[in-house]
Amino acid sequence: MLQPDQIATVQATLPLLESAGPALTEHFYARMFRDNPELKDVFNLAHQTSGAQPVALFNAILAYARHLHNPAVLSQAVERIAQKHTGFLIRPQQYAIVGHHLLETIRELAPDAATPEVLHAWELAYGQLAQIFIDRESEIYDQAASADGGWRGTRRFRLVHKTAESQLITSFEFAPVDGKAVSAFKPGQYLTVSISHPSLKQHEYRQYSLSDAPNGRSYRISVKREDRPVPGQVSTYLHDELQVGDEIDLLPPAGDFYLEVQNDAPVVLLSGGVGLTPMLSMFNSLAQADHPGPVYFLHGCENGRQHAFARHVADLCEARESRHSFTWYQAPLETDIADQDYQATGLMDLAPLRAALDTEQTEYYFCGPLPFMQAIHRQLKAWGVADCRLHYELFGPHQAL
């Protein structure tokens, strides 16, 4: 347990860390991958290149240090990170490696401030945080293994269906090679694929939202072909290399973003681009449960060629009067028909729908690119929607909106 003077010592270094900025964690990752290159098989290197992961880690370090007196206030962030970690099979001994490089980074970037007292206080603080994660991740591993149809670690699956849903998005349905049942999941959670292939420089883990309701037999993910600014290694492999009949390793479903609503609460599902995948899992699950409350499926994309699952969503809406869909195309094609394929152009503007959407009971779930998420968040907060009714998932390292 950290003593008050040790907490004070750690927090006294915060101005130094803030002045260093994300350069601190960039240095940390560089030295860790240099000395422990095996961890390149765990971390998504694309997030290193973009700078998103160092920024996310830097913000997490600052948040933890600020709340050493009461780390429980960070429980939501801890849960999100722990869920992600189990998708990479993080082990307790890896925390020791990370801790070593964190202390060495402080020593190297701030030699004048890195006194034995400071380093010892940071060692204890990091050890406390690491143990929180180790304990929670152990629980998640145990829960996944003990669930009906569950397992620990990786399990072999076979691709049984591969379906092009749009110009960029393809669905992949996997069934277990052992022929046994698979565990249920909460709509909105993701599945981790574990891939080694000659076309990939490293062993890669990627997490993709499950895009259908649970069925106990198989899992479906729907993956966008990433080609900007550079082609995505894993999405390219899935689209171009993986064929029906091929086998792949999967980890159990996980994630802290999922549908959880009262029996008849109105639900609004908002998505941009491939962000519709967890929304589709929620929409299908609500339809499967014959949810009695109003459900709105709101989606924005570029045009009809990039509009995935359009017919499926329309069919679900036609099956029940309380289900509604509304679509925005940013740049409709000549072949796209207004009021049939889409209802509005440009970015998603919720103002015309406010009378239907804005109630005190409505739960809002949204997912998509960061600018889309920020725009939706601004609109809903301007309506006065409470934070407890705003639920969102940002693909990649988490950021606050």
Side-chain angles (χ1 to χ4, degrees):
M1 179 66 69
L2 281 166
Q3 300 302 311
D5 61 323
Q6 293 165 334
I7 292 175
T9 297
V10 168
Q11 293 182 335
T13 65
L14 284 177
L16 177 65
L17 299 184
E18 289 169 338
S19 67
L24 177 83
T25 46
E26 290 172 3
H27 182 89
F28 159 79
Y29 278 117
R31 79 177 328 278
M32 184 172 70
F33 290 144
R34 181 196 68 203
D35 293 354
N36 296 92
E38 72 278 5
L39 294 183
K40 291 181 179 180
D41 288 341
V42 175
F43 289 84
N44 184 335
L45 297 186
H47 294 158
Q48 304 297 322
T49 303
S50 70
Q53 187 63 55
V55 170
L57 178 61
F58 177 72
N59 290 335
I61 289 173
L62 291 183
Y64 173 64
R66 291 190 186 106
H67 293 94
L68 280 173
H69 288 96
N70 184 22
V73 301
L74 300 175
S75 59
Q76 186 176 9
V78 167
E79 181 64 16
R80 180 181 302 115
I81 295 169
Q83 293 281 344
K84 289 281 188 182
H85 281 180
T86 60
F88 296 104
L89 294 179
I90 297 298
R91 303 184 302 275
Q93 56 267 38
Q94 290 169 325
Y95 281 96
I97 296 173
V98 170
H100 165 74
H101 291 291
L102 176 62
L103 293 178
E104 290 304 306
T105 294
I106 295 174
R107 191 195 310 273
E108 292 167 359
L109 292 190
D112 294 337
T115 65
E117 179 187 19
V118 166
L119 292 175
H120 181 60
W122 266 103
E123 181 180 17
L124 293 176
Y126 172 78
Q128 176 177 285
L129 178 63
Q131 196 59 52
I132 291 172
F133 279 117
I134 290 169
D135 292 344
R136 178 60 188 133
E137 288 157 22
S138 177
E139 291 175 351
I140 296 171
Y141 287 130
D142 290 344
Q143 289 166 359
S146 61
D148 291 341
W151 70 97
R152 184 184 297 272
T154 60
R155 182 176 175 186
R156 202 71 173 163
F157 280 72
R158 182 177 293 113
L159 181 63
V160 293
H161 294 292
K162 182 177 181 179
T163 307
E165 309 291 0
S166 73
Q167 185 181 51
L168 297 177
I169 296 174
T170 294
S171 288
F172 302 84
E173 183 179 351
F174 300 102
V177 171
D178 60 23
K180 298 179 181 179
V182 299
S183 55
F185 59 90
K186 297 175 181 177
Q189 290 189 305
Y190 50 76
L191 197 67
T192 301
V193 300
S194 172
I195 302 174
S196 290
H197 189 266
S199 66
L200 304 175
K201 294 180 180 179
Q202 312 288 154
H203 184 98
E204 299 285 357
Y205 294 92
R206 288 294 187 277
Q207 294 165 338
Y208 296 106
S209 295
L210 289 144
S211 62
D212 203 356
N215 62 33
R217 303 180 308 276
S218 63
Y219 296 122
R220 187 182 73 180
I221 58 174
S222 300
V223 179
K224 177 186 176 185
R225 179 190 290 274
E226 297 291 350
D227 54 8
R228 290 183 295 178
V230 295
Q233 293 185 70
V234 176
S235 70
T236 298
Y237 164 77
L238 292 173
H239 279 255
D240 294 347
E241 301 289 341
L242 194 68
Q243 302 300 326
V244 171
D246 290 347
E247 296 181 5
I248 193 171
D249 287 329
L250 301 180
L251 281 75
D256 70 319
F257 173 69
Y258 50 82
L259 181 71
E260 195 171 41
V261 297
Q262 298 299 318
N263 291 337
D264 58 352
V267 180
V268 180
L269 308 173
L270 309 101
S271 59
V274 74
L276 93 166
T277 53
M279 302 298 106
L280 190 65
S281 177
M282 294 180 188
F283 198 36
N284 288 354
S285 298
L286 289 166
Q288 190 180 79
D290 202 21
H291 182 72
V295 180
Y296 295 85
F297 192 95
L298 311 183
H299 181 60
C301 61
E302 190 71 12
N303 52 52
R305 289 180 187 168
Q306 296 188 20
H307 188 179
F309 299 102
R311 184 67 259 166
H312 175 75
V313 169
D315 288 344
L316 288 182
C317 290
E318 291 171 5
R320 190 178 176 97
E321 290 183 357
S322 59
R323 299 178 197 143
H324 313 272
S325 68
F326 199 96
T327 303
W328 288 256
Y329 283 177
Q330 193 154 353
L333 303 171
E334 291 184 1
T335 53
D336 294 330
I337 303 173
D339 296 323
Q340 177 178 307
D341 299 319
Y342 65 99
Q343 286 69 49
T345 58
L347 302 177
M348 188 177 288
D349 178 10
L350 301 179
L353 303 178
R354 181 172 182 178
L357 304 182
D358 187 14
T359 78
E360 292 183 358
Q361 294 77 39
T362 303
E363 299 287 343
Y364 301 86
Y365 293 82
F366 49 110
C367 184
L370 180 58
F372 166 83
M373 305 271 282
Q374 291 171 327
I376 296 302
H377 189 265
R378 281 196 301 270
Q379 292 180 66
L380 295 177
K381 290 303 294 180
W383 291 1
V385 179
D387 287 339
C388 63
R389 294 191 285 122
L390 299 178
H391 317 276
Y392 65 91
E393 172 90 313
L394 182 66
F395 295 154
H398 187 77
Q399 299 180 49
L401 299 182

